C-alpha cells in the first residue's frame, strides 16, 4: 500500500464543551463526514485517539502511544500503525475538506522530495492536521516526544517540509467553540 488515511480524534474538545467529532453534521456525526473524505482520497481511514469512545463507529481505531501530547502524539501513533509510505492526517474538526483536495495533497506528497507535505494557510500558518507524512518521520517524532516536546510547529521546523499553500482559509477552517460551530452551520456550508 502506497498511501493511508487517518483522522485524529484524540483531543479533549475543551473549548467546544462536548466531543467535536460527534457533532451532528449533514445527517450524521462530523467524524463520519471527515472520515469518508479521507477514505475516498487515501483508500483507507483509521481514527486515532480514544478507541473506546468511537467503538460504535464503523472505522478502525488506534490509541495514541503518547497520551495528552497533542496532535504530534496522534501523528506518531498513525505512523507506527501504517503499512503505507505516505500518510494523510486530518483533524476531525475540519468539515470543509473534500476528497478531491485531500487526493491532491497525496499526489503532491509522492513527488515532493521531502518528509512531509503540510498545508499552509493564506496567513502563512502551518496546518499539521491537514498534511501528509512519510512514515520515516516516526523516529524523529518519537525522539521529539520523548524529550517532552509537543509543539507541532517546532517539530515541523526540524523536518524536511514541502509546503502546500492554499489561497482560501475556508477549506482549513477548524471549529473549536460552540459559536464557531453555529456560525459555520448557519452559513452556506451547513
Amino acid at each position: 500500500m502506497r498511501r493511508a488515511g487517518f483522522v485524529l480524534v484524540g483531543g479533549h474538545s475543551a473549548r467546544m464543551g462536548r466531543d467535536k467529532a460527534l457533532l451532528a453534521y449533514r445527517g450524521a456525526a462530523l467524524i463520519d463526514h471527515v472520515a469518508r473524505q479521507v477514505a475516498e482520497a487515501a483508500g483507507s481511514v483509521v481514527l486515532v485517539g480514544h478507541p473506546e469512545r468511537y467503538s460504535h463507529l464503523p472505522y478502525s481505531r488506534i490509541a495514541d502511544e503518547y497520551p495528552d501530547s497533542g496532535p504530534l502524539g496522534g501523528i506518531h501513533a498513525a505512523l507506527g500503525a501504517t503499512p503505507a509510505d505516505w500518510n494523510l492526517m486530518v483533524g476531525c474538526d475540519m468539515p470543509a475538506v473534500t476528497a478531491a483536495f485531500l487526493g491532491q495533497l497525496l499526489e503532491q506528497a509522492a513527488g515532493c522530495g521531502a518528509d512531509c507535505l503540510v498545508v499552509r494557510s493564506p496567513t502563512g500558518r502551518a496546518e499539521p492536521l491537514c498534511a501528509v507524512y512519510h512514515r520515516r518521520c516516526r523516529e524523529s517524532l518519537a525522539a521529539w516526544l520523548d524529550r517532552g516536546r509537543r509543539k507541532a510547529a517546532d517539530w515541523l521546523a526540524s523536518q524536511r517540509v514541502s509546503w502546500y499553500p492554499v489561497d482560501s482559509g475556508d477549506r482549513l477552517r477548524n471549529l473549536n467553540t460552540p459559536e464557531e460551530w453555529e456560525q459555520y452551520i448557519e452559513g452556506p456550508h451547513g
Side-chain angles (χ1 to χ4, degrees), residues 4-163:
F6 297 87
V7 178
L8 277 69
V9 294
H12 296 290
S13 300
R15 289 181 282 170
M16 184 65 72
R18 58 187 170 144
D19 191 341
K20 293 188 281 188
L22 299 177
L23 292 170
Y25 185 67
R26 296 184 178 174
L30 178 57
I31 186 60
D32 284 316
H33 170 74
V34 176
R36 283 193 306 270
Q37 302 309 305
V38 170
E40 185 178 330
S44 69
V45 66
V46 175
L47 306 183
V48 183
H50 303 286
E52 67 287 344
R53 187 183 298 167
Y54 304 103
S55 63
H56 65 286
L57 297 173
Y59 307 108
S60 298
R61 299 165 309 280
I62 60 173
D64 288 346
E65 294 174 31
Y66 289 86
D68 298 320
S69 59
L72 292 181
I75 295 167
H76 175 268
L79 295 178
T82 186
D85 288 332
W86 290 103
N87 300 278
L88 176 64
M89 307 289 167
V90 179
C92 69
D93 60 351
M94 300 181 84
V97 296
T98 64
F101 174 72
L102 298 174
Q104 291 171 359
L105 291 180
L106 282 160
E107 290 303 318
Q108 184 78 24
C112 74
D115 296 322
C116 38
L117 175 79
V118 180
V119 171
R120 182 175 270 166
S121 76
T123 63
R125 182 173 178 239
E127 296 292 343
L129 292 187
C130 191
V132 183
Y133 298 88
H134 196 280
R135 68 179 170 186
R136 68 178 160 253
C137 291
R138 186 170 196 266
E139 189 176 314
S140 73
L141 190 48
W144 188 265
L145 291 166
D146 284 342
R147 291 193 304 267
R149 302 185 80 186
R150 305 289 185 255
K151 191 167 181 182
D154 291 346
W155 177 73
L156 285 171
S158 72
Q159 302 302 298
R160 291 182 313 141
V161 177
S162 182
W163 298 102

